């Protein structure tokens, strides 16, 4: 899996290089060098909702290579649901999943941020939450309704190729559209931590 993570990180960095958005430029500059990073292989793990990766909504020309690679290698990733039963509605717990690419725990060891993929099944809402690290969402496939308190352009539908920035502790939430949604999630200023749900 670590080789897949390295390849995916290269695809992501290439994708990000096409943006001139100041936040994305900063996030990309903070990403680790995949050629000089420690690997900590993770055991692959499959969740039922992971099957929806094959049914993700429309991609954009610049996101299709990333989505295709993830679909092709979906069963090699360490899919996880970090929230526990009772913390959030069952619809969300059963209809969402993530897998890390670069994180404190691997598969590419990265202490200064987080690179992960989020999957939301059709119609699933990721409830309003916040966390200390800055965050950038980039939609890879499908449509999502985005709300972020006081942020320019919110609320709005976002599609493949669109991005959403959240400063530290910025409350935000997402709702998937008619198809499953695949999102690249980048954190800057700290590795994974459990978000605070509102």
């Amino acid at each position: 899996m670590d080789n897949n993570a390295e390849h995916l990180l290269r695809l992501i960095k290439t994708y990000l290089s096409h943006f001139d958005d100041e936040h994305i430029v900063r996030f990309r500059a903070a990403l680790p060098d995949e050629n000089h990073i420690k690997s900590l292989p993770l055991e692959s793990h499959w969740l039922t909702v992971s099957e929806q990766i094959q049914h993700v909504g429309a991609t954009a020309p610049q996101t299709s290579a990333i989505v295709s690679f993830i679909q092709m290698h979906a069963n090699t990733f360490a899919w996880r649901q970090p929230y526990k039963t009772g913390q959030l509605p069952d619809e969300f717990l059963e209809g969402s999943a993530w897998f890390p690419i670069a994180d404190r725990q691997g598969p590419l060891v990265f202490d200064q941020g987080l690179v992960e993929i989020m999957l939301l099944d059709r119609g699933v809402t990721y409830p309003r939450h916040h966390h200390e690290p800055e965050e950038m969402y980039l939609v890879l496939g499908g449509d999502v309704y985005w709300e972020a308190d006081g942020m320019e352009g919110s609320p709005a539908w976002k599609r493949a190729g669109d991005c959403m920035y959240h400063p530290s502790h910025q409350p935000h939430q997402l709702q998937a559209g008619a198809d499953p949604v695949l999102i690249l999630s980048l954190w800057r200023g700290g590795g994974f931590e459990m978000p605070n749900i509102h």
Side-chain angles (χ1 to χ4, degrees):
M1 168 169 164
D2 50 329
N3 288 337
N4 284 344
E6 290 168 14
H7 184 74
L8 200 45
L9 185 58
R10 286 190 196 98
L11 288 175
I12 288 167
K13 290 170 88 169
T14 299
Y15 171 50
L16 297 179
S17 70
H18 297 295
F19 289 88
D20 57 9
D21 176 275
E22 63 176 301
H23 300 300
I24 295 179
V25 169
R26 285 191 299 110
F27 272 79
R28 185 181 188 282
L31 291 177
D33 180 350
E34 66 278 7
N35 298 310
H36 300 92
I37 188 171
K38 179 181 176 184
S39 294
L40 184 62
L42 299 179
E43 185 175 342
S44 61
H45 185 252
W46 190 254
L47 298 174
T48 302
V49 70
S50 306
E51 298 169 2
Q52 297 305 317
I53 193 68
Q54 305 303 334
H55 306 289
V56 165
T59 61
Q62 63 270 34
T63 67
S64 60
I66 298 172
V67 174
S68 294
F69 185 85
I70 293 170
Q71 289 173 327
M72 187 179 304
H73 300 280
N75 65 346
T76 70
F77 299 116
W79 293 92
R80 63 187 179 188
Q81 172 51 266
Y83 296 99
K84 307 299 181 195
T85 301
Q87 287 182 307
L88 289 166
D90 288 346
E91 179 190 34
F92 172 75
L93 295 175
E94 295 168 5
S96 61
W98 289 257
F99 71 80
I101 299 166
D103 189 12
R104 291 186 185 119
Q105 306 297 321
L108 303 177
V109 180
F110 183 38
D111 293 328
Q112 305 305 313
L114 172 68
V115 182
E116 69 178 355
I117 298 295
M118 179 196 328
L119 175 66
L120 296 178
D121 201 357
R122 54 183 61 83
V124 167
T125 296
Y126 188 176
R128 193 166 177 267
H129 63 282
H130 73 272
H131 35 71
E132 184 172 350
E134 294 178 86
E135 180 178 54
M136 181 69 69
Y137 284 154
L138 296 102
V139 183
L140 300 175
D143 303 335
V144 67
Y145 190 69
W146 169 65
E147 297 179 74
D149 293 2
M151 294 298 289
E152 183 178 347
S154 168
W157 280 98
K158 297 290 184 175
R159 293 166 176 78
D162 290 341
C163 59
M164 298 151 274
Y165 171 68
H166 308 127
S168 176
H169 293 296
Q170 172 68 51
H172 55 280
Q173 73 176 35
L174 298 171
Q175 182 176 11
D179 297 304
V181 179
L182 196 64
I183 296 172
L184 168 63
S185 175
L186 305 173
W187 282 14
R188 185 172 174 271
F192 178 76
E193 63 179 46
M194 288 302 297
N196 296 295
I197 302 295
H198 293 230

